[in-house]
Amino acid sequence: MKSIKIVNMTQKGFTLIELMIVVAIIGILAAVALPAYNDYTTRAQVAEITELIGGLKAPVAEYGYQKNAWPTGFVTSIATPTATQLTATVTGKYSTVTTPMTGTFPSGTITGTMSSGQANTQTITFITQDGGNTWNCTGGTIALKYRPVACK
């Protein structure tokens, strides 16, 4: 009787079709992830201007109540402010506070502009009607999807 040898063929490595499927899946994931990442970075850049203006709200309101008028401008800590100016940080990496308070106390507006990044040249406006006790930040040209939750 003859003996029959059964040879077990084991696969070593991946086939071409398996590799192509993996590459296709990675491509699909990248196509979804890149736009989401771009939106995320733009939201982070826009958060900078809301933080800059947020830091101005209390000093501006205090100035308004003390002088019954809004400050006429902001200066950096290097310069000496006049009697109608406040010392403040108004420039960040991606944005700057472009106008001092506008309006007549107790109503007023502070506007910030994106100076670089994906939302370049777009603005956000903080508005108060009651001397700075409450602020509304829904004004401006920055798209709602890039704004912080409080400004939507």
Side-chain angles (χ1 to χ4, degrees), residues 32-89:
V32 171
L34 287 177
Y37 176 75
N38 285 336
D39 286 353
Y40 174 77
T41 56
T42 302
R43 285 178 54 99
Q45 292 167 358
V46 169
E48 179 187 72
I49 190 62
T50 57
E51 288 299 316
L52 284 174
I53 295 175
L56 293 173
K57 292 190 302 187
V60 163
E62 180 181 354
Y63 181 97
Y65 278 105
Q66 287 178 357
K67 309 229 177 185
N68 202 30
W70 296 121
T72 60
F74 306 111
V75 296
T76 62
S77 60
I78 298 170
T80 304
T82 65
T84 61
Q85 293 178 323
L86 290 176
T87 302
T89 301

